[in-house]
Amino acid sequence: SSSSSSTTPFDIYLLVLNGFAIMFAFATETIYAMFIKDSFGYGESTLSTIFAINGLFIGLFQVFFIKPVISMIGKHATLALGNVVLAIGMVGVALIRQTKPLHFAFFSAHIVGYSVADTTLASLISKYSSPATQGRDLALNQAAQACARVVSPLIAGMLYEYSKQPHAWLPVGALPFLVGAMCP
């Protein structure tokens, strides 16, 4: 019995991999300050406003909407929904430039998607963990996400510099967001 409680079920590994993937995608936003400066000419005050508005929005969403969504469609579907919204938001951030309100709506969507996925992910890891391994399994997810927080900005920065070179097939600066969108 003690040997089975020290093993981590395959389901946990899949969820931890999802945790790495969503954090990798989300941490791509570390280059967003350069992106909005290069794309729109916006500086720090606009970026601060964008982050403040989105922080307030996410707080309200977490308090009032996450539980009803999980009640309606279940934890697994909510995790999938968060992954999809995160990916769609990142594609929109990468490709939508002409309509600034639409671009910023996609930016908000990627944050909502991450928030929904991450919240549900912790709940599912707890669900699939035994009481003896729950703390370890949640810590494994946090470790995977910490690795993604290190790796993603490095890769996003390299991809951003590469994507600033003119390519007819891709808007300037879009590549890191498109790569991030593939993760979830």
Side-chain angles (χ1 to χ4, degrees), residues 5 12 32 71 90 108 148 164:
S5 68
I12 298 297
Y32 194 65
S71 295
M90 293 190 75
S108 295
K164 285 173 58 176

Side-chain angles (χ1 to χ4, degrees), residues 26-92:
F26 186 67
T28 299
E29 78 175 20
T30 57
I31 58 135
Y32 194 65
M34 293 180 290
F35 178 83
I36 66 167
K37 183 175 184 182
D38 293 342
S39 298
F40 305 119
Y42 293 150
E44 294 84 10
S45 64
T46 301
L47 183 64
S48 298
T49 302
I50 291 167
F51 283 151
I53 290 169
N54 279 291
L56 178 63
F57 181 66
I58 290 305
L60 294 171
F61 188 85
Q62 290 286 347
V63 169
F64 295 109
F65 295 108
I66 191 76
K67 192 171 182 177
V69 169
I70 291 172
S71 295
M72 275 193 321
I73 64 175
K75 290 177 184 177
H76 294 89
T78 303
L79 175 59
L81 176 66
N83 282 316
V84 168
V85 172
L86 171 58
I88 289 171
M90 293 190 75
V91 170

Side-chain angles (χ1 to χ4, degrees), residues 34-176:
M34 293 180 290
F35 178 83
I36 66 167
K37 183 175 184 182
D38 293 342
S39 298
F40 305 119
Y42 293 150
E44 294 84 10
S45 64
T46 301
L47 183 64
S48 298
T49 302
I50 291 167
F51 283 151
I53 290 169
N54 279 291
L56 178 63
F57 181 66
I58 290 305
L60 294 171
F61 188 85
Q62 290 286 347
V63 169
F64 295 109
F65 295 108
I66 191 76
K67 192 171 182 177
V69 169
I70 291 172
S71 295
M72 275 193 321
I73 64 175
K75 290 177 184 177
H76 294 89
T78 303
L79 175 59
L81 176 66
N83 282 316
V84 168
V85 172
L86 171 58
I88 289 171
M90 293 190 75
V91 170
V93 165
L95 301 178
I96 306 293
R97 309 286 175 87
Q98 293 75 23
T99 310
K100 291 175 190 171
L102 186 57
H103 171 86
F104 293 120
F106 276 106
F107 184 80
S108 295
H110 107 278
I111 292 174
V112 167
Y114 169 76
S115 178
V116 168
D118 191 50
T119 301
T120 310
L121 185 66
S123 178
L124 284 170
I125 290 171
S126 293
K127 175 182 178 176
Y128 285 110
S129 297
S130 71
T133 64
Q134 189 176 51
R136 181 199 65 199
D137 295 343
L138 288 167
L140 181 62
N141 181 56
Q142 289 300 309
Q145 288 193 4
C147 289
R149 282 186 200 98
V150 171
V151 173
S152 179
L154 295 172
I155 292 173
M158 289 186 293
L159 292 173
Y160 188 71
E161 287 302 314
Y162 175 76
S163 71
K164 285 173 58 176
Q165 301 169 11
H167 302 285
W169 54 275
L170 191 63
V172 173
L175 189 58

